[in-house]
Amino acid sequence: MQPSTGRDWSFGEWVCNHHGMPVGEPEVLRVGGVSVADAVAATGTPAYVYALDDVEAAYRRVAAAFAPMGAEVLYAVKANGNLAVLRRLAAAGCGFTVVSGGELTRVLAAGPTTGTVVLAGRGTSAEEHALAVRHGAVVHVQSADELAALGRVAAELGRPARVAIRLNPDVEAASPEALRTGHGDAAFGMPPEVAVDALGRMAAGAHPGLVPVGVHVHVGSQIRDPSGVASAVKVALDVIRAGRDAGLDLDWLDAGGGFPVDESGADVPEPEDFAALLAPLVEGTGVRLAVEPGRRLVASAGMLVTSVRHRLDRSHGRTVVVDAGMHHLLRPALYGATHRVVAVGGGSEDVAPTTVVGPCCEPGDVLARAAPLPALAPGDLVAVLDAGAYGMVMASNYNGHPRPAEVVVAGGEATVARRRETWDDLLAWET
Ligand SMILES: *Cc1c(COP(=O)(O)O)cnc(C)c1O
């Protein structure tokens, strides 16, 4: 496994080790070369802060790993849809995978991209299909019903629609239970025989408005063993061969995302490990490979910065209430994810296991248990690390709290990318 180099959290000159504790004497936490306290000075907390240089570096690393295969990198927008993040990736040449019309609207708003754009939703509506077809996105369909629905949209618009089939390859990915999408019982995609049948019908002239280009597999997220992806790609290649035998000109094989990031700092397989397994499979097949990393491009480039509101008085142990919670970063409550939490101001004295809870009236609103933190006081800043993926996109207004601001740091400068919501915003949708 390659050492992980994507992390940029540092206390002054002191880079964190794998356990998130600073090596040497801690100073102040920095992000993208800016002190975290400065980064959130304009917005206050809670605020997500993303280091755009790190996002681009992560993209370039994945692109370089797959470049020898001529593969294209499509960023999975659902991990983090902030427009500044999308713009930076588009400018670097990255393509995009979206799962809804709303995400496609974000990609369109971010400006032109030279990369491929894929719509790979489940239960995609006619409006969403139409938006994708009008903008030349490739639509990945998950069922025969969806194929027929897309065919009707293409016919109505009088525009050819490029389509790929999302396969259910029936493989078990070494990914957490809640994040597995490629086993036979997962409600994603078509079984191979159904896909071959659909391709055969298109070859025979069904759905004349559709231009079949290939197949798509995405077997899960946080995949700890790349061999699951390799197994899925083998199934996909079989289906492509069957489609070619039926007379179709198929060359698109989207191998999905799932490249892992361990928020607790443990080693995981890197993009190069996935590329090494896939390269021999696709060599000489004439397929254009695509990969769809979401988390791997943004998780470690982002943090959630929050302030201590109060110390809770407990009979034992140390507990602080902060102004961010499960409604801003759902991963600990939803998946039991363990994010490292550090004091922005450093401080190595009186470090003790600390429970960090959010402001929601929910016993599950716990951001961290037994985080090694110095003694904290109201107003102190705390950062939840590796929070750039599946953070803000899952945030809600539960308990009537406005969602956090988003700040981006680039070239040593922090910019407010999305203002904090207000109480008035919370009322804006109701008549
Ligand atoms: C969610 C998703 C991804 C990205 O998954 P990560 O684990 O964030 O890399 C890629 N492709 C599809 C189709 C997805 O739904």
Side-chain angles (χ1 to χ4, degrees), residues 68-139:
M69 280 170 261
E72 193 176 354
V73 178
L74 313 177
Y75 169 60
V77 172
K78 77 173 194 272
N80 182 332
N82 184 277
L83 287 175
V85 169
L86 302 185
R87 273 189 213 111
R88 183 63 174 264
L89 286 170
C94 190
F96 297 99
T97 291
V98 299
V99 294
S100 68
E103 285 188 359
L104 181 52
T105 301
R106 286 195 161 268
V107 168
L108 295 170
T113 167
T114 52
T116 302
V117 178
V118 159
L119 171 62
R122 179 167 71 176
T124 305
S125 71
E127 290 79 7
E128 292 174 313
H129 280 151
L131 188 67
V133 173
R134 278 206 300 276
H135 289 280
V138 181
V139 181

Side-chain angles (χ1 to χ4, degrees), residues 7-371:
R7 288 164 206 284
D8 182 35
W9 316 122
S10 59
F11 286 88
E13 295 301 303
W14 309 100
V15 176
C16 291
N17 67 14
H18 270 304
H19 306 290
M21 296 310 291
V23 180
E25 193 58 29
E27 287 179 31
V28 295
L29 187 68
R30 302 176 80 81
V31 52
V34 175
S35 103
V36 169
D38 287 348
V40 301
T43 62
T45 59
Y48 278 98
V49 184
Y50 312 125
L52 295 184
D53 296 339
D54 292 359
V55 172
E56 182 171 339
Y59 160 69
R60 292 201 183 281
R61 178 164 175 181
V62 177
F66 285 90
M69 280 170 261
E72 193 176 354
V73 178
L74 313 177
Y75 169 60
V77 172
K78 77 173 194 272
N80 182 332
N82 184 277
L83 287 175
V85 169
L86 302 185
R87 273 189 213 111
R88 183 63 174 264
L89 286 170
C94 190
F96 297 99
T97 291
V98 299
V99 294
S100 68
E103 285 188 359
L104 181 52
T105 301
R106 286 195 161 268
V107 168
L108 295 170
T113 167
T114 52
T116 302
V117 178
V118 159
L119 171 62
R122 179 167 71 176
T124 305
S125 71
E127 290 79 7
E128 292 174 313
H129 280 151
L131 188 67
V133 173
R134 278 206 300 276
H135 289 280
V138 181
V139 181
H140 290 186
V141 300
Q142 303 216 4
S143 64
D145 277 353
E146 188 185 353
L147 194 63
L150 179 66
R152 286 193 293 273
V153 167
E156 265 162 40
L157 292 175
R159 292 191 59 149
R162 286 183 294 165
V163 61
I165 306 269
R166 168 81 176 262
L167 281 184
N168 181 328
D170 196 11
V171 301
E172 285 289 346
S175 133
E177 177 95 38
L179 303 181
R180 283 182 208 170
T181 55
H183 57 89
D185 285 339
F188 291 96
M190 300 184 200
E193 63 280 8
V194 178
V196 170
D197 182 59
L199 290 170
R201 280 185 288 116
M202 280 193 278
H207 314 305
L210 302 185
V211 182
V213 295
V215 298
H216 175 208
V217 287
H218 169 68
V219 295
S221 200
Q222 292 283 40
I223 299 171
R224 300 301 172 113
D225 178 356
S227 65
V229 180
S231 305
V233 162
K234 285 183 200 154
V235 177
L237 284 166
D238 287 342
V239 172
I240 286 177
R241 275 185 213 105
R244 285 174 170 173
D245 288 346
L248 296 175
D249 189 14
L250 305 180
D251 70 349
W252 175 251
L253 199 176
D254 184 337
F259 304 147
V261 172
D262 189 304
E263 299 83 11
S264 67
D267 279 337
V268 289
E270 288 292 349
E272 292 82 0
D273 300 310
F274 286 82
L277 267 189
L278 298 191
L281 299 180
V282 296
E283 201 188 320
T285 60
V287 301
R288 291 181 297 139
L289 192 73
V291 289
E292 305 178 307
R295 186 188 314 276
R296 186 62 180 76
L297 300 198
V298 289
S300 300
M303 57 170 68
L304 174 59
V305 185
T306 175
S307 304
V308 174
R309 286 260 176 80
H310 309 126
R311 292 163 285 201
L312 284 191
D313 304 304
R314 310 279 305 279
S315 53
H316 60 272
R318 211 186 252 177
T319 300
V320 293
V321 194
V322 298
D323 60 8
M326 64 186 292
H327 50 344
H328 304 139
L329 179 65
L330 189 57
R331 304 190 68 260
L334 185 64
Y335 305 129
T338 307
H339 284 262
R340 294 169 297 164
V341 177
V342 296
V344 168
S348 55
E349 266 161 46
D350 193 16
V351 171
T354 304
T355 302
V356 181
V357 302
C360 291
C361 293
E362 279 284 343
D365 189 10
V366 179
L367 286 178
R369 293 175 205 277

